Amino acid sequence: MENLRRLFANNRQFVDEALQSDPDFFKRRAGKQEPHFLLIGCADSRVPVELLTGAAPGEMFVHRNIANQVFPSDLNLLSVLQYAVEVLDVEHVIVCGHLQCGGVKAAMGTESYGLVDNWLAGIREVYRRHSAELGAYATEEERFNRLVELNVLRQVYQLSRTPVVQNAWKRGRRPMLHGMVYDIKDGLLRELVLQVDNDEKVQALLEADRRGVGY
Ligand code: CO
């Protein structure tokens, strides 16, 4: 219970500090939200996206699941995406993966973890498709790091294929799609692919993917 009590105590402190610098901090945000970003990240507790990017309340719409997956059949994610793009009109949709991702690691091995194996099937497929490139790396850690990147790129591609994004682009609208990787060891975010905002750029992404080169 001690850990839980700490959450409430920290919350009081957060409120006190926010009101000290701005007495209307919460009042102004209560009416509506106008976030610039939708971030799709991993559920990993070491990747608190708002904290590590300094995003204030109201700035970032967030969806997190294991290994930041974008499935065309995921009603949860698609609802978040549709609301963010069509109602909130976010400018940027970011897929943010991270090094040392347990979901990606699990997909590299043969061990079974039960239900979650189904969730990781997409990463196993990425691993299989890139087995030649990944096999050329000298160490397991390099393979692991590269698969984290390939997974993010795959999910950016998956996003670009959704009707929500396709319809927005056809009408000449945003969002721009981006892929990033967070390094848990040094706390830094690294860009992987930025400003994918039309089908030509998606094609370039696929070409680079096929050649197995960086972006
Ligand atoms: Co993860």
Side-chain angles (χ1 to χ4, degrees), residues 133-195:
E133 181 203 339
L134 290 166
Y137 287 104
T139 67
E140 182 75 2
E141 177 152 12
E142 286 171 298
R143 267 193 292 283
F144 186 12
N145 291 347
R146 181 59 180 154
L147 186 57
V148 165
E149 295 181 353
L150 290 170
N151 176 47
V152 169
L153 294 169
R154 180 68 192 168
Q155 307 318 317
V156 172
Y157 173 74
Q158 294 275 70
L159 268 181
S160 78
R161 299 300 89 195
T162 58
V164 170
V165 170
Q166 282 288 311
N167 288 339
W169 287 354
K170 274 189 195 114
R171 295 194 311 259
R173 299 288 303 275
R174 49 212 205 182
M176 280 185 254
L177 310 181
H178 315 280
M180 302 178 188
V181 170
Y182 175 66
D183 189 342
I184 274 179
K185 287 179 181 164
D186 63 16
L188 291 173
L189 265 183
R190 197 159 49 81
E191 57 188 64
L192 205 52
V193 61
L194 298 183
Q195 295 189 9

Side-chain angles (χ1 to χ4, degrees), residues 42-44 67-68 98 101-103:
C42 181
D44 194 303
N68 38 273
H98 67 98
C101 182

